[in-house]
């Protein structure tokens, strides 16, 4: 749940990028960091291995300015996608307000996407959240690979696989090129803030 | 598509997956290529081709082992430590949050820094028994039993902790050593009659646990460590849930089994314990219907 500090009039929300290993979570955050240097309110911190896999988490704080006199801070995190880091994923997910699920469009990662989404559902459930209720956006990443003739899954197959029950907003993206990164995040922040308004019972 | 074209496109894929660190997938594509070459009638120069592809595949395999063997706990900078402490503590209460932050460091394998924080908290007199036990656990995780004994002796000689507190810590050390099969002499605490009856405020019960992780010693998942969030706790017994879909996990737990290595995490401390599984029941209704409830008696000291 978002953290309110009424005395200092600061609201902190937490958005977590989730998805299978190597799907492009870190690349998403790196693009946001580069493209929105002005809005990000601190450096991006990545704790990773030599092979660039995220080991603990990526962290990127963003200031969204004031809403009703309160400073709103969005804290963006990315989990390690590799299956074996399950307990770290749980730690990073704690206190989450919104999730961006990054799916890998590569055909060879079809099953990995499904497993990761299930893992997300299970971990949210353990923390008392329903995947059907929490603000959630799905991103189909690595679309650029189609141009080079690599086997990637068509969007409707990905939709069918991952979003036929959830029916949440979804976006195609190429995190290396930056396309689709901001629309994904913007939509997630929008849903997260709407939820926050409900929590605070702010009108409209 | 001719064999040549198929090979060319597979090699291109293998290279991409290698570049993206999808190493298993990369290796898979190289294996496909090898199969095609081996069974192809159209290709000349087969031996040379096979060698070249095998060489590429070996490079991928090497990377795979490198990753398997890489240290799982990186060295972090001070600002990264501070970030972990700040971002992984959730209590509004300042003291509790400070302990949570130190526990988070330990959870991320940063024992030395966790130790530093715990020592600071001890000096400030914050939940001394909890903090002292955490100090012992940290020392045993990254240093030696001797270091833990030396630390305890220091506490005894400096009288920075009260006698009942020292007694609890001594019992904790004894049981931890017992479990690990460590033989060590702990300094004796002579009875001080005036204090003997005094109750310690913190009590001796198991802390409120947020999660436990259990190393499985038998069954289909032998050798693996599984983590559960604690859904309910009453004194020393905790309940955790196994989702219906995890049949492999369900089969790993049998009522009455002893669990010799349980890591217990509470918002303000972590420690190792053993325990007994005394209940395994299916949940009959509600949102978790079909899942199983495990009940475990934790024996912390
Ligand atoms: N072609 C292409 N490659 C991408 C894209 N996004 C990420 N990649 C590549 O995929 C690989 C993995 O990207 P990361 O951002 O590290 O993936 P991750 O999800 O953070 O991976 P983990 O930390 O292991 O969970 C890198 O080689 C990226 O360059 C994309 O949109 N297109
Ligand atoms: Mg990453």
């Amino acid at each position: 749940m978002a953290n309110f500090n009424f005395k200092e009039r600061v609201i902190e929300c937490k958005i977590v990028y989730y998805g299978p290993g190597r799907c492009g979570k870190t690349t998403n955050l790196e693009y946001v960091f580069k493209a929105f240097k002005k809005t990000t309110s601190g450096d991006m911190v990545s704790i990773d291995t030599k092979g660039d896999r995220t080991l603990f988490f990526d962290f990127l704080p963003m200031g969204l300015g004031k809403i009703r006199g309160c400073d709103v801070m969005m804290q963006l995190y990315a989990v390690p996608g590799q299956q074996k880091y399950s307990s770290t994923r749980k730690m990073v997910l704690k206190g989450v307000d919104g999730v961006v699920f990054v799916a890998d469009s590569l055909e060879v990662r079809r099953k990995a996407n499904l497993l990761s989404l299930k893992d997300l559902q299970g971990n949210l459930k353990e923390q008392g959240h329903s995947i059907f209720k929490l603000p959630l956006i799905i991103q189909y990443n690595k679309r650029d690979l189609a141009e080079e003739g690599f086997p990637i899954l068509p969007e409707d197959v990905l939709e069918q696989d991952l979003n036929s029950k959830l029916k949440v907003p979804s976006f195609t993206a190429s995190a290396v090129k930056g396309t689709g990164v901001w629309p994904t995040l913007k939509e997630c922040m929008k849903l997260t803030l709407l939820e926050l308004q409900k929590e605070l019972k702010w009108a409209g | 598509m001719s064999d040549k074209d198929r090979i060319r496109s597979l090699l291109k894929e293998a290279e991409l997956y290698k570049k993206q660190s999808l190493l298993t997938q990369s290796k898979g594509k190289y294996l496909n290529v090898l199969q095609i070459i081996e069974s192809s009638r159209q290709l000349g120069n087969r031996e040379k081709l096979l060698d070249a592809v095998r060489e590429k595949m070996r490079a991928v395999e090497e990377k795979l082992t490198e990753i398997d063997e890489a240290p799982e706990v990186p060295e972090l900078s001070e600002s990264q430590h501070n970030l972990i402490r700040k971002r992984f503590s959730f209590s509004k209460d300042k003291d509790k949050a400070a302990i949570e932050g130190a526990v988070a460091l330990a959870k991320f394998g940063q024992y030395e820094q966790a130790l530093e924080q715990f020592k600071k908290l001890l000096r400030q007199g914050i939940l001394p028994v909890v903090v002292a036990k955490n100090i012992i656990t940290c020392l045993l995780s990254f240093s030696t039993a001797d270091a833990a004994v030396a630390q305890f002796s220091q506490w005894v000689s400096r009288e920075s902790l009260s006698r009942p507190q020292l007694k609890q810590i001594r019992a904790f050390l004894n049981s931890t050593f017992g479990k690990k099969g460590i033989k060590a002499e702990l300094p004796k605490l002579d009875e001080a009659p005036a204090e003997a009856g005094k109750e310690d405020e913190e009590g001796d019960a198991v802390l409120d646990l947020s999660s436990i992780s259990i190393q499985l010693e038998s069954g289909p998942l032998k050798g693996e460590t599984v983590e559960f969030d604690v859904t309910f706790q009453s004194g020393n017994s905790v309940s955790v849930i196994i989702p219906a879909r995890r049949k492999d996990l369900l089969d790993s737990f049998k009522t009455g089994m002893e669990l010799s290595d349980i890591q217990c995490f509470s918002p303000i401390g972590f420690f190792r314990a053993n325990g007994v599984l005394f209940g395994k029941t299916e949940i009959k209704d509600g949102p978790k219907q079909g899942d199983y409830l495990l009940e475990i008696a934790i024996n912390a000291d």
Side-chain angles (χ1 to χ4, degrees):
Chain A
M1 205 190 76
N3 183 18
F4 307 98
N5 186 333
F6 285 112
K7 220 168 88 204
E8 288 168 29
R9 301 193 74 79
V10 175
I11 298 172
E12 288 177 344
C13 297
K14 179 168 180 174
I15 289 181
V16 176
Y17 281 69
Y18 212 94
R22 322 311 297 144
C23 67
K25 301 175 287 296
T26 300
T27 312
N28 261 276
L29 288 195
E30 278 169 348
Y31 179 80
V32 173
F33 181 52
K34 260 186 271 157
F36 300 94
K37 268 232 160 80
K38 270 192 222 133
T39 336
T40 53
S41 56
D43 274 345
M44 176 167 166
V45 177
S46 291
I47 302 183
D48 48 24
T49 61
K50 246 178 34 199
D52 284 347
R53 293 171 169 70
T54 301
L55 197 56
F56 291 168
F57 56 85
D58 301 305
F59 172 73
L60 178 60
M62 283 182 97
L64 293 194
K66 282 198 195 302
I67 299 181
R68 316 230 164 172
C70 287
D71 272 318
V72 179
M73 307 290 293
M74 281 282 168
Q75 262 130 26
L76 310 184
Y77 288 82
V79 299
Q82 284 185 88
Q83 261 181 332
K84 62 177 169 181
Y85 297 133
S86 157
S87 60
T88 307
R89 275 195 294 281
K90 287 185 192 184
M91 274 180 87
V92 176
L93 209 52
K94 203 165 167 192
V96 64
D97 298 300
V99 174
V100 172
F101 183 85
V102 181
D104 196 325
S105 297
L106 281 168
E107 256 173 33
V108 286
R109 296 304 273 164
R110 186 171 183 182
K111 199 171 155 208
N113 290 330
L114 286 166
L115 287 177
S116 177
L117 190 63
K118 267 204 164 148
D119 179 61
L120 171 65
Q121 178 173 19
N123 286 340
L124 285 176
K125 203 170 153 193
E126 280 180 23
Q127 304 194 5
H129 288 297
S130 158
I131 196 170
F132 293 100
K133 290 191 185 137
L134 195 80
L136 172 71
I137 307 293
I138 300 183
Q139 179 190 76
Y140 305 124
N141 191 29
K142 303 191 187 173
R143 299 313 291 178
D144 58 291
L145 291 174
E147 295 151 26
E148 294 165 62
F150 286 110
I152 68 169
L153 296 161
E155 204 183 326
D156 58 327
V157 172
L158 285 159
E159 271 290 301
Q160 180 61 36
D161 273 3
L162 305 169
N163 203 13
S164 59
K165 291 209 190 86
L166 291 169
K167 298 194 169 46
V168 296
S170 63
F171 296 86
T172 52
S174 164
V176 274
K177 297 196 168 161
T179 46
V181 170
W182 175 241
T184 308
L185 177 57
K186 197 170 84 181
E187 187 68 16
C188 189
M189 293 204 283
K190 193 178 103 190
L191 293 189
T192 304
L193 287 173
L194 276 173
E195 203 52 36
L196 184 79
Q197 293 193 345
K198 272 195 238 159
E199 243 177 76
L200 290 177
K201 302 210 169 56
W202 279 341
Chain B
M1 217 196 279
S2 72
D3 285 348
K4 237 185 184 161
D5 288 339
R6 274 170 71 204
I7 289 174
R8 194 172 296 135
S9 114
L10 282 169
L11 284 177
K12 198 174 126 192
E13 262 187 75
E15 287 299 314
L16 172 79
Y17 301 153
K18 183 181 167 199
K19 199 177 110 206
Q20 300 210 344
S21 280
L22 290 163
L23 299 174
T24 314
Q25 287 71 21
S26 174
K27 185 179 165 183
K29 294 298 161 190
Y30 283 127
L31 280 173
N32 287 350
V33 174
L34 290 177
Q35 278 163 2
I36 295 173
I37 301 174
E38 272 159 6
S39 60
S40 168
R41 300 230 171 94
Q42 306 167 0
L43 294 166
N45 243 341
R46 291 207 322 204
E47 280 314 310
K48 228 176 162 179
L49 270 173
L50 282 172
D51 277 347
V53 176
R54 283 199 196 107
E55 192 51 46
K56 280 182 184 293
M57 195 169 86
R58 231 185 329 267
V60 172
E61 282 169 337
E62 264 168 32
K63 267 195 150 183
L64 270 169
T65 18
E66 205 178 286
I67 285 169
D68 274 345
E69 287 163 6
E72 296 284 273
V73 180
E75 273 198 30
L76 303 183
S77 66
E78 194 184 330
S79 63
Q80 287 173 327
H81 287 135
N82 292 341
L83 180 76
I84 288 178
R85 281 201 294 134
K86 178 149 184 236
R87 293 294 155 205
F88 292 85
S89 54
F90 297 90
S91 282
K92 294 257 187 241
D93 178 86
K94 224 179 94 219
D95 292 345
K96 279 207 177 126
I99 299 184
E100 282 173 12
V103 170
L105 283 174
K107 273 195 160 190
F108 281 120
Q110 310 295 306
Y111 294 113
E112 279 180 63
Q113 289 71 23
L115 188 67
E116 219 172 274
Q117 293 301 323
F118 285 129
K119 284 189 168 169
K120 202 163 108 191
L121 293 167
L122 192 64
R123 284 197 294 277
Q124 295 166 353
I126 293 165
L127 293 172
V129 173
V130 171
V131 170
K133 285 184 183 177
N134 275 303
I135 290 178
I136 298 289
T137 312
C138 278
L139 284 172
L140 290 175
S141 299
F142 84 95
S143 186
T144 59
D146 286 345
V149 175
Q151 176 64 78
F152 181 68
S153 308
Q154 199 192 68
W155 286 332
V156 173
S157 65
R158 289 205 186 152
E159 294 181 348
S160 41
L161 292 154
S162 74
R163 194 150 305 269
Q165 287 169 340
L166 286 170
K167 257 172 97 174
Q168 286 188 51
I169 300 162
R170 191 174 195 277
F172 174 74
L173 262 165
N174 262 331
S175 78
T176 312
F177 283 175
K179 268 174 261 163
K180 294 189 178 220
I182 298 170
K183 292 209 165 49
E185 271 301 305
L186 290 175
K188 292 231 161 26
L189 298 170
D190 28 71
E191 282 302 323
E195 277 183 312
K198 216 163 132 191
E199 278 290 308
D200 194 274
E201 293 156 31
E202 286 170 52
D204 209 9
V206 170
L207 293 170
D208 280 341
L209 300 179
S210 50
S211 64
I212 57 175
S213 68
I214 299 175
Q215 165 123 38
L216 295 169
E217 280 151 13
S218 58
L221 299 174
K222 191 175 164 181
E224 285 192 29
T225 304
V226 284
E227 181 160 328
F228 298 102
D229 283 344
V230 170
T231 48
F232 181 72
Q233 177 174 4
S234 160
N236 289 4
S237 45
V238 298
S239 309
V240 302
I241 287 178
I242 298 186
R245 66 187 150 85
R246 291 298 305 272
K247 215 182 154 317
D248 51 344
L249 259 184
L250 271 176
D251 293 342
S252 304
F253 289 96
K254 299 209 162 45
T255 311
M257 84 192 262
E258 292 193 9
L259 306 163
S260 66
D261 188 8
I262 309 177
Q263 279 222 56
C264 302
F265 297 104
S266 88
I268 55 168
F270 81 110
F271 58 92
R272 282 206 139 90
N274 56 24
V276 176
L277 180 69
F278 68 88
K280 174 178 159 183
T281 39
E282 191 181 340
I283 300 172
K284 294 283 190 232
D285 59 0
K288 297 209 183 274
Q289 187 178 3
D291 293 351
Y292 274 76
L293 195 69
L294 297 186
E295 289 164 289
I296 298 165
I298 303 266
N299 179 16
D301 34 37

mmCIF file with all atom_site columns, all heavy atoms in Angstrom, chain A residues 42-54:
data_model
loop_
_atom_site.group_PDB
_atom_site.id
_atom_site.type_symbol
_atom_site.label_atom_id
_atom_site.label_alt_id
_atom_site.label_comp_id
_atom_site.label_asym_id
_atom_site.label_entity_id
_atom_site.label_seq_id
_atom_site.pdbx_PDB_ins_code
_atom_site.Cartn_x
_atom_site.Cartn_y
_atom_site.Cartn_z
_atom_site.occupancy
_atom_site.B_iso_or_equiv
_atom_site.pdbx_formal_charge
_atom_site.auth_seq_id
_atom_site.auth_comp_id
_atom_site.auth_asym_id
_atom_site.auth_atom_id
_atom_site.pdbx_PDB_model_num
ATOM 1  N N   . GLY A 1 42 ? 16.398 10.808  -8.616  1.00 0.00 ? 42 GLY A N   1
ATOM 2  C CA  . GLY A 1 42 ? 17.614 10.239  -8.051  1.00 0.00 ? 42 GLY A CA  1
ATOM 3  C C   . GLY A 1 42 ? 18.192 9.292   -9.072  1.00 0.00 ? 42 GLY A C   1
ATOM 4  O O   . GLY A 1 42 ? 17.574 9.046   -10.113 1.00 0.00 ? 42 GLY A O   1
ATOM 5  N N   . ASP A 1 43 ? 19.373 8.782   -8.797  1.00 0.00 ? 43 ASP A N   1
ATOM 6  C CA  . ASP A 1 43 ? 19.997 7.874   -9.745  1.00 0.00 ? 43 ASP A CA  1
ATOM 7  C C   . ASP A 1 43 ? 19.302 6.531   -9.767  1.00 0.00 ? 43 ASP A C   1
ATOM 8  O O   . ASP A 1 43 ? 18.674 6.127   -8.800  1.00 0.00 ? 43 ASP A O   1
ATOM 9  C CB  . ASP A 1 43 ? 21.466 7.661   -9.363  1.00 0.00 ? 43 ASP A CB  1
ATOM 10 C CG  . ASP A 1 43 ? 22.338 8.744   -9.970  1.00 0.00 ? 43 ASP A CG  1
ATOM 11 O OD1 . ASP A 1 43 ? 21.850 9.449   -10.889 1.00 0.00 ? 43 ASP A OD1 1
ATOM 12 O OD2 . ASP A 1 43 ? 23.482 8.899   -9.516  1.00 0.00 ? 43 ASP A OD2 1
ATOM 13 N N   . MET A 1 44 ? 19.473 5.834   -10.894 1.00 0.00 ? 44 MET A N   1
ATOM 14 C CA  . MET A 1 44 ? 18.980 4.466   -10.957 1.00 0.00 ? 44 MET A CA  1
ATOM 15 C C   . MET A 1 44 ? 20.008 3.558   -10.295 1.00 0.00 ? 44 MET A C   1
ATOM 16 O O   . MET A 1 44 ? 21.206 3.689   -10.520 1.00 0.00 ? 44 MET A O   1
ATOM 17 C CB  . MET A 1 44 ? 18.783 4.069   -12.417 1.00 0.00 ? 44 MET A CB  1
ATOM 18 C CG  . MET A 1 44 ? 18.362 2.638   -12.585 1.00 0.00 ? 44 MET A CG  1
ATOM 19 S SD  . MET A 1 44 ? 17.789 2.323   -14.260 1.00 0.00 ? 44 MET A SD  1
ATOM 20 C CE  . MET A 1 44 ? 17.787 0.535   -14.279 1.00 0.00 ? 44 MET A CE  1
ATOM 21 N N   . VAL A 1 45 ? 19.529 2.670   -9.453  1.00 0.00 ? 45 VAL A N   1
ATOM 22 C CA  . VAL A 1 45 ? 20.422 1.722   -8.793  1.00 0.00 ? 45 VAL A CA  1
ATOM 23 C C   . VAL A 1 45 ? 20.111 0.334   -9.303  1.00 0.00 ? 45 VAL A C   1
ATOM 24 O O   . VAL A 1 45 ? 18.959 -0.100  -9.279  1.00 0.00 ? 45 VAL A O   1
ATOM 25 C CB  . VAL A 1 45 ? 20.210 1.748   -7.257  1.00 0.00 ? 45 VAL A CB  1
ATOM 26 C CG1 . VAL A 1 45 ? 21.097 0.714   -6.587  1.00 0.00 ? 45 VAL A CG1 1
ATOM 27 C CG2 . VAL A 1 45 ? 20.491 3.129   -6.708  1.00 0.00 ? 45 VAL A CG2 1
ATOM 28 N N   . SER A 1 46 ? 21.132 -0.364  -9.811  1.00 0.00 ? 46 SER A N   1
ATOM 29 C CA  . SER A 1 46 ? 20.927 -1.738  -10.265 1.00 0.00 ? 46 SER A CA  1
ATOM 30 C C   . SER A 1 46 ? 21.864 -2.648  -9.493  1.00 0.00 ? 46 SER A C   1
ATOM 31 O O   . SER A 1 46 ? 23.059 -2.376  -9.427  1.00 0.00 ? 46 SER A O   1
ATOM 32 C CB  . SER A 1 46 ? 21.244 -1.878  -11.756 1.00 0.00 ? 46 SER A CB  1
ATOM 33 O OG  . SER A 1 46 ? 20.284 -1.199  -12.512 1.00 0.00 ? 46 SER A OG  1
ATOM 34 N N   . ILE A 1 47 ? 21.327 -3.687  -8.923  1.00 0.00 ? 47 ILE A N   1
ATOM 35 C CA  . ILE A 1 47 ? 22.200 -4.666  -8.272  1.00 0.00 ? 47 ILE A CA  1
ATOM 36 C C   . ILE A 1 47 ? 22.127 -5.928  -9.106  1.00 0.00 ? 47 ILE A C   1
ATOM 37 O O   . ILE A 1 47 ? 21.132 -6.650  -9.096  1.00 0.00 ? 47 ILE A O   1
ATOM 38 C CB  . ILE A 1 47 ? 21.782 -4.904  -6.812  1.00 0.00 ? 47 ILE A CB  1
ATOM 39 C CG1 . ILE A 1 47 ? 21.814 -3.559  -6.071  1.00 0.00 ? 47 ILE A CG1 1
ATOM 40 C CG2 . ILE A 1 47 ? 22.723 -5.921  -6.155  1.00 0.00 ? 47 ILE A CG2 1
ATOM 41 C CD1 . ILE A 1 47 ? 21.499 -3.631  -4.606  1.00 0.00 ? 47 ILE A CD1 1
ATOM 42 N N   . ASP A 1 48 ? 23.182 -6.123  -9.908  1.00 0.00 ? 48 ASP A N   1
ATOM 43 C CA  . ASP A 1 48 ? 23.122 -7.215  -10.878 1.00 0.00 ? 48 ASP A CA  1
ATOM 44 C C   . ASP A 1 48 ? 24.417 -8.027  -10.895 1.00 0.00 ? 48 ASP A C   1
ATOM 45 O O   . ASP A 1 48 ? 25.368 -7.724  -10.176 1.00 0.00 ? 48 ASP A O   1
ATOM 46 C CB  . ASP A 1 48 ? 22.821 -6.663  -12.276 1.00 0.00 ? 48 ASP A CB  1
ATOM 47 C CG  . ASP A 1 48 ? 23.707 -5.477  -12.623 1.00 0.00 ? 48 ASP A CG  1
ATOM 48 O OD1 . ASP A 1 48 ? 24.798 -5.356  -12.046 1.00 0.00 ? 48 ASP A OD1 1
ATOM 49 O OD2 . ASP A 1 48 ? 23.297 -4.665  -13.467 1.00 0.00 ? 48 ASP A OD2 1
ATOM 50 N N   . THR A 1 49 ? 24.440 -9.044  -11.726 1.00 0.00 ? 49 THR A N   1
ATOM 51 C CA  . THR A 1 49 ? 25.636 -9.879  -11.849 1.00 0.00 ? 49 THR A CA  1
ATOM 52 C C   . THR A 1 49 ? 26.455 -9.404  -13.028 1.00 0.00 ? 49 THR A C   1
ATOM 53 O O   . THR A 1 49 ? 26.047 -8.511  -13.752 1.00 0.00 ? 49 THR A O   1
ATOM 54 C CB  . THR A 1 49 ? 25.259 -11.340 -12.139 1.00 0.00 ? 49 THR A CB  1
ATOM 55 O OG1 . THR A 1 49 ? 24.557 -11.357 -13.378 1.00 0.00 ? 49 THR A OG1 1
ATOM 56 C CG2 . THR A 1 49 ? 24.397 -11.911 -11.057 1.00 0.00 ? 49 THR A CG2 1
ATOM 57 N N   . LYS A 1 50 ? 27.574 -10.041 -13.224 1.00 0.00 ? 50 LYS A N   1
ATOM 58 C CA  . LYS A 1 50 ? 28.435 -9.672  -14.339 1.00 0.00 ? 50 LYS A CA  1
ATOM 59 C C   . LYS A 1 50 ? 27.707 -9.829  -15.672 1.00 0.00 ? 50 LYS A C   1
ATOM 60 O O   . LYS A 1 50 ? 27.847 -9.024  -16.567 1.00 0.00 ? 50 LYS A O   1
ATOM 61 C CB  . LYS A 1 50 ? 29.690 -10.542 -14.319 1.00 0.00 ? 50 LYS A CB  1
ATOM 62 C CG  . LYS A 1 50 ? 30.908 -9.724  -14.030 1.00 0.00 ? 50 LYS A CG  1
ATOM 63 C CD  . LYS A 1 50 ? 32.205 -10.496 -13.942 1.00 0.00 ? 50 LYS A CD  1
ATOM 64 C CE  . LYS A 1 50 ? 32.360 -11.679 -14.828 1.00 0.00 ? 50 LYS A CE  1
ATOM 65 N NZ  . LYS A 1 50 ? 33.411 -12.600 -14.386 1.00 0.00 ? 50 LYS A NZ  1
ATOM 66 N N   . GLY A 1 51 ? 26.910 -10.864 -15.770 1.00 0.00 ? 51 GLY A N   1
ATOM 67 C CA  . GLY A 1 51 ? 26.181 -11.094 -17.019 1.00 0.00 ? 51 GLY A CA  1
ATOM 68 C C   . GLY A 1 51 ? 24.969 -10.200 -17.173 1.00 0.00 ? 51 GLY A C   1
ATOM 69 O O   . GLY A 1 51 ? 24.121 -10.471 -18.004 1.00 0.00 ? 51 GLY A O   1
ATOM 70 N N   . ASP A 1 52 ? 24.886 -9.147  -16.350 1.00 0.00 ? 52 ASP A N   1
ATOM 71 C CA  . ASP A 1 52 ? 23.801 -8.180  -16.453 1.00 0.00 ? 52 ASP A CA  1
ATOM 72 C C   . ASP A 1 52 ? 22.450 -8.661  -15.959 1.00 0.00 ? 52 ASP A C   1
ATOM 73 O O   . ASP A 1 52 ? 21.467 -7.956  -16.075 1.00 0.00 ? 52 ASP A O   1
ATOM 74 C CB  . ASP A 1 52 ? 23.602 -7.695  -17.910 1.00 0.00 ? 52 ASP A CB  1
ATOM 75 C CG  . ASP A 1 52 ? 24.680 -6.716  -18.290 1.00 0.00 ? 52 ASP A CG  1
ATOM 76 O OD1 . ASP A 1 52 ? 25.377 -6.255  -17.368 1.00 0.00 ? 52 ASP A OD1 1
ATOM 77 O OD2 . ASP A 1 52 ? 24.818 -6.427  -19.480 1.00 0.00 ? 52 ASP A OD2 1
ATOM 78 N N   . ARG A 1 53 ? 22.409 -9.870  -15.455 1.00 0.00 ? 53 ARG A N   1
ATOM 79 C CA  . ARG A 1 53 ? 21.137 -10.303 -14.892 1.00 0.00 ? 53 ARG A CA  1
ATOM 80 C C   . ARG A 1 53 ? 20.924 -9.564  -13.592 1.00 0.00 ? 53 ARG A C   1
ATOM 81 O O   . ARG A 1 53 ? 21.851 -9.398  -12.807 1.00 0.00 ? 53 ARG A O   1
ATOM 82 C CB  . ARG A 1 53 ? 21.190 -11.780 -14.535 1.00 0.00 ? 53 ARG A CB  1
ATOM 83 C CG  . ARG A 1 53 ? 21.292 -12.659 -15.685 1.00 0.00 ? 53 ARG A CG  1
ATOM 84 C CD  . ARG A 1 53 ? 21.572 -14.067 -15.188 1.00 0.00 ? 53 ARG A CD  1
ATOM 85 N NE  . ARG A 1 53 ? 21.429 -14.972 -16.287 1.00 0.00 ? 53 ARG A NE  1
ATOM 86 C CZ  . ARG A 1 53 ? 22.292 -15.002 -17.279 1.00 0.00 ? 53 ARG A CZ  1
ATOM 87 N NH1 . ARG A 1 53 ? 23.352 -14.214 -17.260 1.00 0.00 ? 53 ARG A NH1 1
ATOM 88 N NH2 . ARG A 1 53 ? 22.113 -15.820 -18.274 1.00 0.00 ? 53 ARG A NH2 1
ATOM 89 N N   . THR A 1 54 ? 19.690 -9.161  -13.361 1.00 0.00 ? 54 THR A N   1
ATOM 90 C CA  . THR A 1 54 ? 19.394 -8.534  -12.086 1.00 0.00 ? 54 THR A CA  1
ATOM 91 C C   . THR A 1 54 ? 19.505 -9.591  -10.991 1.00 0.00 ? 54 THR A C   1
ATOM 92 O O   . THR A 1 54 ? 19.014 -10.703 -11.145 1.00 0.00 ? 54 THR A O   1
ATOM 93 C CB  . THR A 1 54 ? 17.987 -7.923  -12.126 1.00 0.00 ? 54 THR A CB  1
ATOM 94 O OG1 . THR A 1 54 ? 17.953 -6.973  -13.184 1.00 0.00 ? 54 THR A OG1 1
ATOM 95 C CG2 . THR A 1 54 ? 17.656 -7.236  -10.817 1.00 0.00 ? 54 THR A CG2 1
#
